[in-house]
Amino acid sequence: MNCPHTAAAPAGRGAGTVVIDPMVQDLDGETARLRDAGVLARIDLLGVPAWTVTRHAEARRLLLDARLVKDIDAWDLWRSGAVTHAWPLIGMIDAGRSMFTVDGAEHRRLRTKTSQALTPRRLEAIRPEIEKFTQELLDALDAAQGDDGVVDLKAVFAQPLPMRVVGMLMGVDESRHAMLTRQYKAFFSMLTPQDERLALLAELDVFYTDLVREKTARPTDDLTSALILAEEGGEPLTEEEVVGNLKAMVAAGHETTIGLVLNAVRALLAHPDQLRKVLAGEVGWDAVIEETLRWDTPTTHLLMRFATEDITVGDEVIRKGEGLVVSYRAIGRDIEQHGADADAFDITRPTRNRHMTFGHGPHICPGAALSRVEAGIALPALFTRFPGLRLAVPDEEITRLPVMTQNDMTAFPVLLG
Ligand code: STR
């Protein structure tokens, strides 16, 4: 293989190291290279080496393996000082104590209330509000059309909707949403200088800590307040733990759903025959959502777990102290799981529900049902209101943001028709 992103293969070691491109210039090519590099591939993340798992079956096994932990102190490169806060991706791992960074019994303690608040049954209660936000943002879309009729579906619709939903759930006032959106955009972008990223993470910590203190003094009807209150006879979460969970919820709830909604719209507009079937009621929106989750995952790579013992995967060994990434985009394109046409978008595919985009095992996405509810409201509402919706530029001109772990577009200019 003659490929600039793939270094020469060390003898007997698969196809070599795949250098992950911070500018995300060729995501499909990179996904294919990862798949070609093996079940377990060596990757380079801005100079930092790690393993990644690229296949469904093995990822499923590894995500249940208690020898892999989230605790950054289990990472040799961190303990030795080779990786520091100067590394642009450190904020994806060293994110404070929360359900995202802790394992085992402590993890269950940190996570239970959040997952209980986000069951499909509990979410039915907030469906009317999500529908109301959706209608308001559709009005905003209509109003935002320029003289040429062009409007950015991302900025005006796909981005504000998840922020409003997660803001309502967690009790974050609407006056802060625009600011948070800007901060997360800068957090994820590889164009942001590292000192700025660290400064904005510190600002976010102050903001969330203030919010938790306010909710401690005056609890309201939101998940942040629920996280603060102790279970009867149970041990309450510490302030740091509540702040950590709140951060994780807002970051994850906001960023990933933008990708889900936009990727679904993009896939449908690029496959008009399939869009027709959906609009004719021959195939359900749930099929669109699941196939989009599989084919164009909102999370490209999930950082990171660390081996507490040597772990053998096929003929490779993840050594104790090494890091493992899960490459969800490659996993969604796994031929053994989805067939030889795994690279094709097909809402009638029999395996469309058998993807692993929300993860697996104890850390499986607690917001999965919420994102499905949001997309399940937003997509049909959008196409019902604007049946003539189309891209304002050729599909090839849509660019991805320079974000290594998430799959997010710069903008999505459309004509409402
Ligand atoms: C962003 C920074 C922060 O303050 C807290 C977190 C914890 C949850 C993380 C989030 C991060 C980045 C995006 C993640 C999210 C959990 C799910 C989401 C990784 C590090 C996904 O992309 C799946």
Side-chain angles (χ1 to χ4, degrees), residues 91-93 95 100 184 187-188 201 247-248 251-252 256 299 302 406:
M92 296 298 298
I93 304 172
F100 186 68
Y184 281 114
F187 167 73
F188 284 112
L201 283 172
K247 283 201 293 196
T256 49
T299 302
L302 195 118
Q406 319 299 124

Side-chain angles (χ1 to χ4, degrees), residues 70 89-96 98-101 184 187-188 201 204-205 208 243-253 255-256 298-303 328 357-359 363 365-366 405-407:
K70 296 275 204 131
L89 292 168
I90 194 65
M92 296 298 298
I93 304 172
D94 190 27
S98 78
M99 58 184 162
F100 186 68
T101 54
Y184 281 114
F187 167 73
F188 284 112
L201 283 172
L204 282 170
D205 262 330
Y208 288 123
V243 170
N245 278 353
L246 172 60
K247 283 201 293 196
M249 282 290 294
V250 177
E255 166 57 33
T256 49
T299 302
T300 311
H301 308 288
L302 195 118
L303 272 52
Y328 283 107
T357 297
F358 291 115
H363 288 278
C365 177
T405 55
Q406 319 299 124
N407 176 3

Side-chain angles (χ1 to χ4, degrees), residues 160-197:
L161 179 64
M163 181 58 92
R164 284 199 195 177
V165 174
V166 80
M168 165 184 70
L169 210 76
M170 303 310 293
V172 179
D173 194 77
E174 224 178 295
S175 61
R176 306 306 300 242
H177 292 186
M179 168 91 151
L180 285 167
T181 299
R182 269 199 307 281
Q183 286 169 313
Y184 281 114
K185 185 172 183 219
F187 167 73
F188 284 112
S189 172
M190 288 299 117
L191 295 176
T192 304
Q194 182 60 3
D195 55 339
E196 273 176 41
R197 185 175 357 261

Side-chain angles (χ1 to χ4, degrees), residues 93-146:
I93 304 172
D94 190 27
R97 188 178 159 81
S98 78
M99 58 184 162
F100 186 68
T101 54
V102 168
D103 297 280
E106 282 291 277
H107 173 247
R108 284 188 288 282
R109 175 178 155 268
L110 290 179
R111 174 172 156 124
T112 305
K113 269 194 192 169
T114 304
S115 45
Q116 284 169 353
L118 297 173
T119 58
R121 200 177 56 83
R122 291 280 294 276
L123 292 174
E124 281 313 303
I126 61 166
R127 182 180 283 279
E129 265 135 320
I130 302 178
E131 283 165 350
K132 187 184 100 201
F133 294 152
T134 303
Q135 291 306 326
E136 286 169 6
L137 292 172
L138 290 172
D139 292 341
L141 261 184
D142 212 356
Q145 294 172 87

